[in-house]
């Protein structure tokens, strides 16, 4: 299996090639001479045993990652966990899954058919994490899923890959907070996710976050190519806890709004 660095390099290549081509421009705007540090990446899946959160977590656990917080998003019918590596320079990993059994019988039937097309042997190792869609999908089925769950339609269309990378704002010299990053991006033509306010969270929850709206990218469905929301870029500033350590968790109320960056 790939080393941690190799896996993140492949996730990055897939993300910029397929899901978020504007990531290059985000980097160019924020880098200012010093390389960016990734706070975390995020992955999405369907909560069925064959492809659930635990299956996506496996390659990260093999790299020494440990499971930390868990989060529930009742209205969106999502469940999530985050993982941390003992090496603080390794990005955290946020993995969510759709609680398929809570969805309509029609959605359950569609998703079960998609997942039935996956060969379980393709889910060993770590390559599947950046291989995109492992099933056929037509445009009408995508639209049916989108009516009930934007998240379900996103996973069905794009399959596996990093949904976003996240710049650690703490490391930036030119920007002190997410608001300043947002202004720089907006001045350069980016749309910022305003759901729940353009900055989610603050020092009182030890985490401040913002994100771009997802790039619109072409996806080849089995019958037609259509342009739909792909990946986005997130920005996170972490605050020091009373014990002197930087907060490493996520904030469910903020995450709930970050998910909407693909709307
Ligand atoms: C994940 C949304 C949550 C965060 O940092 O709180 C998140 C997603 O959109 O898949 O990334
Ligand atoms: Ni995130």
């Amino acid at each position: 299996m790939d080393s941690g660095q190799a896996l993140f390099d492949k996730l990055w290549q897939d993300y910029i090639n397929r899901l978020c081509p504007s990531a290059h421009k985000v980097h160019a705007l924020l880098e200012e001479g010093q390389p960016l540090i990734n706070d975390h990446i995020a992955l999405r899946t369907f909560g069925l045993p064959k492809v659930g959160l635990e299956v996506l977590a496996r390659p990260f656990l093999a790299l020494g990652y440990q499971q930390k917080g868990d989060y529930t998003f009742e209205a969106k019918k999502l469940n999530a966990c985050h993982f941390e590596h003992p090496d603080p320079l390794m990005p955290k990993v946020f993995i969510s899954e759709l609680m398929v059994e809570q969805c309509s019988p029609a959605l359950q039937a569609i998703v079960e058919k998609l997942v039935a097309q996956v060969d379980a042997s393709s889910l060993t190792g770590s390559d599947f994490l950046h291989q995109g869609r492992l099933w056929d999908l037509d445009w009408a089925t995508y639209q049916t899923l989108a009516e009930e769950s934007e998240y379900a339609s996103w996973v069905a269309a794009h399959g596996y890959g990093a949904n976003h990378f996240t710049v650690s704002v703490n490391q930036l010299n030119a920007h002190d907070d997410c608001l300043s990053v947002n202004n720089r991006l907006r001045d350069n033509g980016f749309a910022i996710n305003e759901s729940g306010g353009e900055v989610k969270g603050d020092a009182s929850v030890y985490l401040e976050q913002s994100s771009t709206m997802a790039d619109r990218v072409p996806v080849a469905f089995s019958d037609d190519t259509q342009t739909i929301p792909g990946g986005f870029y997130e920005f996170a500033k972490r605050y020091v806890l009373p014990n002197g350590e930087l907060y490493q968790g996520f904030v469910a109320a903020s995450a709930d709004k970050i998910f909407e960056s693909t709307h």
Side-chain angles (χ1 to χ4, degrees):
M1 202 173 75
D2 284 331
S3 70
Q5 189 56 52
L7 175 57
F8 283 102
D9 286 349
K10 288 179 181 173
L11 283 160
W12 172 256
Q13 286 306 324
D14 174 56
Y15 168 73
I16 58 173
N17 289 337
R18 189 168 65 87
L19 295 168
C20 192
S22 75
H24 282 305
K25 194 173 165 195
V26 173
H27 265 219
L29 288 170
L30 297 179
E31 240 163 8
E32 327 226 17
Q34 101 235 64
L36 300 178
I37 293 179
N38 290 312
D39 179 88
H40 69 269
I41 65 158
L43 305 170
R44 297 175 170 187
T45 191
F46 296 122
L48 293 176
K50 199 199 240 175
V51 296
L53 194 165
E54 289 176 25
V55 174
L56 272 64
R58 229 159 31 203
F60 295 101
L61 296 173
L63 288 168
Y65 274 83
Q66 293 159 359
Q67 186 172 331
K68 299 285 179 175
D70 49 71
Y71 314 89
T72 306
F73 305 91
E74 271 173 32
K76 293 184 173 69
K77 304 189 167 103
L78 303 175
N79 175 41
C81 285
H82 93 265
F83 298 82
E84 294 174 26
H85 197 276
D87 174 355
L89 285 176
M90 295 283 276
K92 286 174 275 297
V93 178
F94 183 96
I95 308 179
S96 60
E97 63 181 2
L98 179 68
M99 295 187 274
V100 176
E101 77 288 351
Q102 294 183 14
C103 298
S104 73
L107 183 144
Q108 291 187 39
I110 292 171
V111 169
E112 277 163 17
K113 266 196 185 162
L114 299 179
V115 171
Q117 295 175 47
V118 179
D119 180 351
S121 70
S122 65
L123 302 171
T124 56
S126 58
D127 283 348
F128 76 95
L129 292 173
H130 43 79
Q131 276 173 349
R133 209 167 73 213
L134 305 178
W135 42 75
D136 290 328
L137 179 72
D138 60 67
W139 173 236
T141 304
Y142 169 84
Q143 289 172 295
T144 302
L145 290 173
E147 278 169 28
E148 178 169 341
S149 165
E150 186 277 329
Y151 181 102
S153 66
W154 193 95
V155 177
H158 299 295
Y160 299 109
N163 158 277
H164 58 273
F165 274 70
T166 308
V167 172
S168 166
V169 174
N170 298 60
Q171 317 295 329
L172 300 177
N173 290 328
H175 301 278
D176 210 32
D177 53 25
C178 290
L179 190 62
S180 167
V181 171
N182 289 357
N183 288 336
R184 174 104 173 107
L185 290 174
R186 227 190 249 109
D187 287 347
N188 286 276
F190 281 90
I192 301 296
N193 175 358
E194 311 264 353
S195 176
E198 67 168 292
V199 177
K200 294 118 181 79
D202 56 26
S204 71
V205 292
Y206 303 103
L207 177 63
E208 190 184 295
Q209 292 165 279
S210 65
S211 59
T212 63
M213 287 305 287
D215 281 6
R216 296 188 64 85
V217 294
V219 169
F221 292 92
S222 52
D223 50 345
D224 201 4
T225 294
Q226 294 281 347
T227 299
I228 61 168
F232 56 89
Y233 224 117
E234 187 188 314
F235 313 98
K237 178 176 178 179
R238 295 186 178 276
Y239 288 85
V240 178
L241 291 162
N243 70 6
E245 287 175 16
L246 215 53
Y247 179 64
Q248 297 296 340
F250 289 78
V251 174
S254 302
D256 188 63
K257 305 302 180 199
I258 298 280
F259 277 115
E260 295 173 17
S261 309
T262 53
H263 281 191

